[in-house]
PDB file of all heavy atoms in Angstrom:
ATOM      1  N   ILE A  60     -19.044  10.512   2.557  1.00  0.00           N
ATOM      2  CA  ILE A  60     -18.169   9.686   3.388  1.00  0.00           C
ATOM      3  C   ILE A  60     -18.994   8.542   3.950  1.00  0.00           C
ATOM      4  O   ILE A  60     -20.099   8.749   4.452  1.00  0.00           O
ATOM      5  CB  ILE A  60     -17.577  10.513   4.544  1.00  0.00           C
ATOM      6  CG1 ILE A  60     -16.823  11.717   3.997  1.00  0.00           C
ATOM      7  CG2 ILE A  60     -16.676   9.655   5.421  1.00  0.00           C
ATOM      8  CD1 ILE A  60     -16.462  12.730   5.051  1.00  0.00           C
ATOM      9  N   SER A  61     -18.434   7.333   3.859  1.00  0.00           N
ATOM     10  CA  SER A  61     -19.172   6.171   4.339  1.00  0.00           C
ATOM     11  C   SER A  61     -18.233   5.176   4.999  1.00  0.00           C
ATOM     12  O   SER A  61     -17.137   4.917   4.508  1.00  0.00           O
ATOM     13  CB  SER A  61     -19.880   5.507   3.161  1.00  0.00           C
ATOM     14  OG  SER A  61     -20.610   4.403   3.588  1.00  0.00           O
ATOM     15  N   SER A  62     -18.678   4.643   6.128  1.00  0.00           N
ATOM     16  CA  SER A  62     -17.957   3.566   6.825  1.00  0.00           C
ATOM     17  C   SER A  62     -18.999   2.763   7.589  1.00  0.00           C
ATOM     18  O   SER A  62     -20.198   3.037   7.492  1.00  0.00           O
ATOM     19  CB  SER A  62     -16.897   4.133   7.767  1.00  0.00           C
ATOM     20  OG  SER A  62     -17.497   4.705   8.904  1.00  0.00           O
ATOM     21  N   ASN A  63     -18.540   1.798   8.360  1.00  0.00           N
ATOM     22  CA  ASN A  63     -19.477   1.017   9.167  1.00  0.00           C
ATOM     23  C   ASN A  63     -20.191   1.866  10.206  1.00  0.00           C
ATOM     24  O   ASN A  63     -21.306   1.559  10.604  1.00  0.00           O
ATOM     25  CB  ASN A  63     -18.746  -0.126   9.868  1.00  0.00           C
ATOM     26  CG  ASN A  63     -18.332  -1.206   8.902  1.00  0.00           C
ATOM     27  OD1 ASN A  63     -18.907  -1.350   7.834  1.00  0.00           O
ATOM     28  ND2 ASN A  63     -17.322  -1.956   9.277  1.00  0.00           N
ATOM     29  N   ASN A  64     -19.536   2.931  10.651  1.00  0.00           N
ATOM     30  CA  ASN A  64     -20.084   3.730  11.746  1.00  0.00           C
ATOM     31  C   ASN A  64     -20.665   5.071  11.334  1.00  0.00           C
ATOM     32  O   ASN A  64     -21.321   5.720  12.140  1.00  0.00           O
ATOM     33  CB  ASN A  64     -19.004   3.986  12.796  1.00  0.00           C
ATOM     34  CG  ASN A  64     -18.530   2.711  13.435  1.00  0.00           C
ATOM     35  OD1 ASN A  64     -19.312   1.800  13.654  1.00  0.00           O
ATOM     36  ND2 ASN A  64     -17.244   2.612  13.707  1.00  0.00           N
ATOM     37  N   VAL A  65     -20.406   5.503  10.105  1.00  0.00           N
ATOM     38  CA  VAL A  65     -20.845   6.852   9.736  1.00  0.00           C
ATOM     39  C   VAL A  65     -21.148   6.940   8.246  1.00  0.00           C
ATOM     40  O   VAL A  65     -20.507   6.293   7.430  1.00  0.00           O
ATOM     41  CB  VAL A  65     -19.781   7.910  10.132  1.00  0.00           C
ATOM     42  CG1 VAL A  65     -18.540   7.793   9.278  1.00  0.00           C
ATOM     43  CG2 VAL A  65     -20.330   9.301  10.068  1.00  0.00           C
ATOM     44  N   ASN A  66     -22.164   7.730   7.947  1.00  0.00           N
ATOM     45  CA  ASN A  66     -22.465   8.154   6.584  1.00  0.00           C
ATOM     46  C   ASN A  66     -22.688   9.652   6.671  1.00  0.00           C
ATOM     47  O   ASN A  66     -23.526  10.108   7.447  1.00  0.00           O
ATOM     48  CB  ASN A  66     -23.712   7.472   6.031  1.00  0.00           C
ATOM     49  CG  ASN A  66     -23.470   6.012   5.749  1.00  0.00           C
ATOM     50  OD1 ASN A  66     -22.512   5.667   5.079  1.00  0.00           O
ATOM     51  ND2 ASN A  66     -24.343   5.154   6.262  1.00  0.00           N
ATOM     52  N   SER A  67     -21.907  10.398   5.891  1.00  0.00           N
ATOM     53  CA  SER A  67     -21.958  11.847   6.031  1.00  0.00           C
ATOM     54  C   SER A  67     -21.648  12.522   4.708  1.00  0.00           C
ATOM     55  O   SER A  67     -21.090  11.911   3.801  1.00  0.00           O
ATOM     56  CB  SER A  67     -20.945  12.276   7.092  1.00  0.00           C
ATOM     57  OG  SER A  67     -21.047  13.649   7.337  1.00  0.00           O
ATOM     58  N   LYS A  68     -22.000  13.789   4.620  1.00  0.00           N
ATOM     59  CA  LYS A  68     -21.680  14.633   3.476  1.00  0.00           C
ATOM     60  C   LYS A  68     -20.951  15.871   4.003  1.00  0.00           C
ATOM     61  O   LYS A  68     -21.395  16.462   4.999  1.00  0.00           O
ATOM     62  CB  LYS A  68     -22.944  15.107   2.769  1.00  0.00           C
ATOM     63  CG  LYS A  68     -23.824  14.022   2.251  1.00  0.00           C
ATOM     64  CD  LYS A  68     -25.079  14.633   1.657  1.00  0.00           C
ATOM     65  CE  LYS A  68     -26.075  13.577   1.283  1.00  0.00           C
ATOM     66  NZ  LYS A  68     -27.310  14.152   0.743  1.00  0.00           N
ATOM     67  N   ILE A  69     -19.860  16.231   3.321  1.00  0.00           N
ATOM     68  CA  ILE A  69     -19.149  17.440   3.703  1.00  0.00           C
ATOM     69  C   ILE A  69     -18.712  18.179   2.445  1.00  0.00           C
ATOM     70  O   ILE A  69     -18.629  17.600   1.364  1.00  0.00           O
ATOM     71  CB  ILE A  69     -17.922  17.161   4.612  1.00  0.00           C
ATOM     72  CG1 ILE A  69     -16.905  16.260   3.904  1.00  0.00           C
ATOM     73  CG2 ILE A  69     -18.347  16.581   5.938  1.00  0.00           C
ATOM     74  CD1 ILE A  69     -15.615  16.077   4.687  1.00  0.00           C
ATOM     75  N   SER A  70     -18.412  19.440   2.599  1.00  0.00           N
ATOM     76  CA  SER A  70     -17.942  20.243   1.470  1.00  0.00           C
ATOM     77  C   SER A  70     -16.513  19.841   1.106  1.00  0.00           C
ATOM     78  O   SER A  70     -15.796  19.246   1.920  1.00  0.00           O
ATOM     79  CB  SER A  70     -17.981  21.729   1.832  1.00  0.00           C
ATOM     80  OG  SER A  70     -16.981  22.019   2.796  1.00  0.00           O
ATOM     81  N   VAL A  71     -16.111  20.169  -0.090  1.00  0.00           N
ATOM     82  CA  VAL A  71     -14.739  19.912  -0.521  1.00  0.00           C
ATOM     83  C   VAL A  71     -13.763  20.657   0.385  1.00  0.00           C
ATOM     84  O   VAL A  71     -12.717  20.129   0.762  1.00  0.00           O
ATOM     85  CB  VAL A  71     -14.550  20.302  -2.005  1.00  0.00           C
ATOM     86  CG1 VAL A  71     -13.087  20.251  -2.414  1.00  0.00           C
ATOM     87  CG2 VAL A  71     -15.387  19.403  -2.901  1.00  0.00           C
ATOM     88  N   TYR A  72     -14.110  21.870   0.770  1.00  0.00           N
ATOM     89  CA  TYR A  72     -13.269  22.670   1.664  1.00  0.00           C
ATOM     90  C   TYR A  72     -13.059  21.950   3.004  1.00  0.00           C
ATOM     91  O   TYR A  72     -11.932  21.833   3.483  1.00  0.00           O
ATOM     92  CB  TYR A  72     -13.924  24.043   1.884  1.00  0.00           C
ATOM     93  CG  TYR A  72     -13.155  24.921   2.829  1.00  0.00           C
ATOM     94  CD1 TYR A  72     -12.050  25.645   2.389  1.00  0.00           C
ATOM     95  CD2 TYR A  72     -13.534  25.029   4.163  1.00  0.00           C
ATOM     96  CE1 TYR A  72     -11.335  26.454   3.261  1.00  0.00           C
ATOM     97  CE2 TYR A  72     -12.824  25.831   5.037  1.00  0.00           C
ATOM     98  CZ  TYR A  72     -11.720  26.536   4.586  1.00  0.00           C
ATOM     99  OH  TYR A  72     -11.019  27.333   5.455  1.00  0.00           O
ATOM    100  N   ASP A  73     -14.138  21.443   3.589  1.00  0.00           N
ATOM    101  CA  ASP A  73     -14.029  20.720   4.863  1.00  0.00           C
ATOM    102  C   ASP A  73     -13.262  19.406   4.694  1.00  0.00           C
ATOM    103  O   ASP A  73     -12.491  19.012   5.565  1.00  0.00           O
ATOM    104  CB  ASP A  73     -15.413  20.446   5.453  1.00  0.00           C
ATOM    105  CG  ASP A  73     -16.085  21.697   5.983  1.00  0.00           C
ATOM    106  OD1 ASP A  73     -15.371  22.694   6.262  1.00  0.00           O
ATOM    107  OD2 ASP A  73     -17.322  21.693   6.116  1.00  0.00           O
ATOM    108  N   PHE A  74     -13.475  18.733   3.567  1.00  0.00           N
ATOM    109  CA  PHE A  74     -12.749  17.502   3.281  1.00  0.00           C
ATOM    110  C   PHE A  74     -11.243  17.762   3.283  1.00  0.00           C
ATOM    111  O   PHE A  74     -10.476  17.020   3.898  1.00  0.00           O
ATOM    112  CB  PHE A  74     -13.205  16.932   1.934  1.00  0.00           C
ATOM    113  CG  PHE A  74     -12.417  15.750   1.465  1.00  0.00           C
ATOM    114  CD1 PHE A  74     -12.568  14.507   2.069  1.00  0.00           C
ATOM    115  CD2 PHE A  74     -11.520  15.868   0.413  1.00  0.00           C
ATOM    116  CE1 PHE A  74     -11.836  13.401   1.632  1.00  0.00           C
ATOM    117  CE2 PHE A  74     -10.794  14.783  -0.038  1.00  0.00           C
ATOM    118  CZ  PHE A  74     -10.943  13.546   0.579  1.00  0.00           C
TER     119      PHE A  74
END
Side-chain angles (χ1 to χ4, degrees):
I60 303 168
S61 181
S62 73
N63 288 337
N64 297 324
V65 69
N66 289 309
S67 185
K68 301 176 187 178
I69 60 174
S70 70
V71 171
Y72 178 81
D73 289 339
F74 173 73

